Amino acid sequence: MSHFTHIKTRFQNLFYLEKALNRLDISHTEQEKSGITTYHKSLIIPQSNGYNIEFAWNGQEYELIVDMSFWEQPYPIESFIDKISQQYAGEVIIGESQKIGFQPIKYQQNADGSNTLILERWNNEKVMAKV
């Protein structure tokens, strides 16, 4: 008997969620879903046992839908969500910072599991000084 679990997340942007999964080398596909008045995409992470993991839009965020009886990932679900959350946060910081002129110059994963992100922005305005 399967028992699907819906786990709330803070993933609200599909673009950044996909980038986070790509950075973690987590294979996934998009699936289009439509209802009577809604249309959205879900992300499916295939598992070899056929019980796939899904990030589905619930109207506010992409929640994780999984049958815990058939979890087949190399680490516990809490670690799985933590890893994706950390990468998602980094992708949001990079993407939103680029919108205001910052460019990432360093993105490094540290031995302790944390990430270091360095951004820079150059001011292209000419500065004149009278001496």
Side-chain angles (χ1 to χ4, degrees):
M1 180 199 290
S2 64
H3 295 87
F4 283 97
T5 302
H6 294 244
I7 300 170
K8 291 215 174 249
T9 68
R10 297 283 183 194
F11 308 136
Q12 297 176 325
N13 187 300
L14 182 66
F15 176 75
Y16 294 135
L17 179 55
E18 283 191 282
K19 287 185 71 99
L21 294 175
N22 289 336
R23 189 175 288 274
L24 291 167
D25 292 324
I26 297 174
S27 178
H28 63 279
T29 58
E30 282 187 8
Q31 184 178 52
E32 295 181 4
K33 296 196 171 190
S34 60
I36 295 171
T37 59
T38 61
Y39 167 81
H40 64 274
K41 292 182 180 178
S42 291
L43 295 179
I44 307 297
I45 299 170
Q47 297 194 116
S48 62
N49 62 12
Y51 292 90
N52 298 333
I53 300 167
E54 179 178 2
F55 282 101
W57 184 250
N58 68 9
Q60 296 179 331
E61 62 198 4
Y62 284 91
E63 65 184 353
L64 183 66
I65 301 173
V66 62
D67 187 332
M68 296 301 294
S69 304
F70 297 100
W71 182 256
E72 205 177 63
Q73 298 302 304
Y75 27 80
I77 193 162
E78 295 81 10
S79 297
F80 180 79
I81 292 172
D82 287 346
K83 288 176 185 295
I84 294 172
S85 295
Q86 184 180 37
Q87 294 303 319
Y88 178 86
E91 294 301 334
V92 170
I93 291 168
I94 291 170
E96 297 303 309
S97 297
Q98 286 178 322
K99 291 178 183 177
I100 56 172
F102 285 90
Q103 293 299 316
I105 59 170
K106 182 179 180 182
Y107 193 105
Q108 170 186 317
Q109 187 161 10
N110 303 313
D112 66 358
S114 66
N115 292 327
T116 299
L117 174 60
I118 299 175
L119 305 165
E120 72 178 2
R121 180 171 71 175
W122 293 91
N123 186 348
N124 291 329
E125 295 177 20
K126 293 182 179 179
V127 177
M128 295 178 53
K130 285 188 178 183
V131 181

